[in-house]
Amino acid sequence: GAVVSQHPSWVICKSGTSVKIECRSLDFQATTMFWYRQFPKQSLMLMATSNEGSKATYEQGVEKDKFLINHASLTLSTLTVTSAHPEDSSFYICSASGYNNSPLHFGNGTRLTVT
Amino acid sequence: AQKITQTQPGMFVQEKEAVTLDCTYDTSDQSYGLFWYKQPSSGEMIFLIYQGSYDEQNATEGRYSLNFQKARKSANLVISASQLGDSAMYFCAMREGLNAGKSTFGDGTTLTVKP
């Protein structure tokens, strides 16, 4: 089946630094990728929709200057958490979709801890 | 706006028994897709089963079946012959249209299988 690789799986960074998370579709072309944030024992909250070759579409309440999304190719989307603060600590997970009735294919997620 | 409701925050089931996880949805779209995902404690999201709004038969995938009642807008997941490895969080999700649009997730149900 389709594989999405997300890296890193976990990262610890100091407050004020930036962190980049990569999401790659390994065996299919993903024109659209989605970035989610998840707090413990809660649902996935859609942050933004990443479209190859164009600007990402952010959900209401998500700061686009803080969560920079780049989708430069059909197989790679990146999420950069800029000037991270402890409240940005969370589980971030990306997904990509094929066409029509195919399900979302998820990366394994990135656990970000900001100290 | 689309909405997914999972009314069971937690469920317990005895090993080898069947369990039903509830999901109701609300949408004004005629075309939509319904999905169930499993999230073990390790965090990855695993696709289980899909039901399209125009599908007349209930979807089945191994021990998983989807009880789709369109008029009631419900899409319950039935897991037969529960196994200890089924203990996880389960999310019901709905996709806009039938294309690669964004998905809306329910709050999830934590299933615990007891030996």
Side-chain angles (χ1 to χ4, degrees):
Chain A
V3 177
V4 173
S5 173
Q6 185 172 344
H7 179 81
S9 55
W10 60 271
V11 58
I12 301 172
C13 71
K14 291 190 175 181
S15 188
T17 61
S18 295
V19 174
K20 179 185 282 188
I21 302 169
E22 293 188 348
C23 181
R24 295 181 183 271
S25 56
L26 298 184
D27 54 358
F28 68 105
Q29 293 182 334
T31 55
T32 303
M33 289 186 176
F34 304 95
W35 286 95
Y36 295 87
R37 181 174 182 175
Q38 186 181 29
F39 292 103
K41 299 193 183 300
Q42 293 189 22
S43 187
L44 278 69
M45 181 188 76
L46 179 66
M47 299 175 67
T49 301
S50 170
N51 298 297
E52 186 267 336
S54 64
K55 290 183 178 180
T57 303
Y58 290 82
E59 295 299 303
Q60 192 172 9
V62 177
E63 299 176 61
K64 61 181 179 181
D65 294 330
K66 179 162 190 63
F67 299 101
L68 298 178
I69 290 172
N70 183 278
H71 195 155
S73 76
L74 286 171
T75 59
L76 174 64
S77 176
T78 60
L79 167 67
T80 301
V81 183
T82 62
S83 187
H85 292 286
E87 57 265 31
D88 299 325
S89 298
S90 191
F91 187 66
Y92 295 87
I93 191 165
C94 70
S95 68
S97 179
Y99 298 95
N100 296 333
N101 306 334
S102 63
L104 290 173
H105 304 288
F106 287 87
N108 285 344
T110 298
R111 200 165 300 280
L112 170 64
T113 302
V114 184
T115 60
Chain B
Q2 294 190 333
K3 184 174 173 61
I4 294 282
T5 302
Q6 294 181 253
T7 58
Q8 307 153 313
M11 287 282 287
F12 290 90
V13 64
Q14 206 66 37
E15 192 178 10
K16 299 182 184 177
E17 293 188 348
V19 63
T20 298
L21 306 183
D22 294 341
C23 173
T24 58
Y25 61 92
D26 189 22
T27 181
S28 56
D29 290 342
Q30 295 300 310
S31 300
Y32 51 88
L34 296 160
F35 303 81
W36 277 92
Y37 296 89
K38 172 184 178 182
Q39 187 179 39
S41 57
S42 52
E44 73 268 29
M45 293 285 284
I46 303 167
F47 163 71
L48 297 178
I49 197 166
Y50 164 82
Q51 182 85 40
S53 58
Y54 293 121
D55 294 342
E56 295 186 350
Q57 289 194 330
N58 287 341
T60 60
E61 288 286 349
R63 295 187 297 111
Y64 305 108
S65 60
L66 199 152
N67 185 358
F68 181 47
Q69 297 187 43
K70 193 170 182 178
R72 297 181 59 186
K73 292 189 175 179
S74 73
N76 298 339
L77 176 70
V78 180
I79 305 174
S80 62
S82 296
Q83 302 172 356
L84 296 178
D86 293 334
S87 294
M89 199 157 185
Y90 289 80
F91 291 98
C92 179
M94 178 167 57
R95 169 178 292 170
E96 298 175 348
L98 289 178
N99 295 319
K102 63 183 180 181
S103 298
T104 302
F105 286 81
D107 289 339
T109 296
T110 300
L111 176 67
T112 303
V113 180
K114 298 195 284 188

